[in-house]
Amino acid sequence: EERKKDVETIYSSTDAALVKELLEAYNVTYIYLGDEEHKTYNVNDALLQSLGEIVFRSDGAYIVKVK
């Protein structure tokens, strides 16, 4: 349950420091954002894109490699 809440926080938070902390805690190196993520969470695309480099993009989905 805590992990599920953390995933929602990573996708939707406006707090960059908190998102970075969670990404480090879970050793996340890539973030996938597609239709399902956008339907499920109130995705903060700008924040997530600012955390790294988009390394793949196709049909509205993309992958961010976290810095």
Side-chain angles (χ1 to χ4, degrees), residues 2-13 22 40-42:
E2 182 177 346
R3 183 181 174 112
K4 188 175 182 179
K5 182 180 175 210
D6 289 345
V7 169
E8 182 172 356
T9 299
I10 288 168
Y11 279 116
S12 61
S13 179
L22 289 170
T40 306
Y41 307 105
N42 184 20

Side-chain angles (χ1 to χ4, degrees), residues 32-35 37-38 45 49 56-63:
Y32 176 83
L33 292 115
D35 289 340
E37 290 72 26
H38 283 96
D45 287 290
Q49 290 177 21
F56 177 80
R57 186 187 300 265
S58 178
D59 296 328
Y62 63 92
I63 298 172

Side-chain angles (χ1 to χ4, degrees), residues 16-56:
L18 175 58
V19 172
K20 288 178 186 179
E21 182 180 310
L22 289 170
L23 293 174
E24 288 176 13
Y26 288 102
N27 294 313
V28 174
T29 52
Y30 292 90
I31 305 168
Y32 176 83
L33 292 115
D35 289 340
E36 197 61 37
E37 290 72 26
H38 283 96
K39 287 178 193 171
T40 306
Y41 307 105
N42 184 20
V43 175
N44 186 344
D45 287 290
L47 178 96
L48 294 172
Q49 290 177 21
S50 76
L51 297 174
E53 173 188 0
I54 296 175
V55 294
F56 177 80

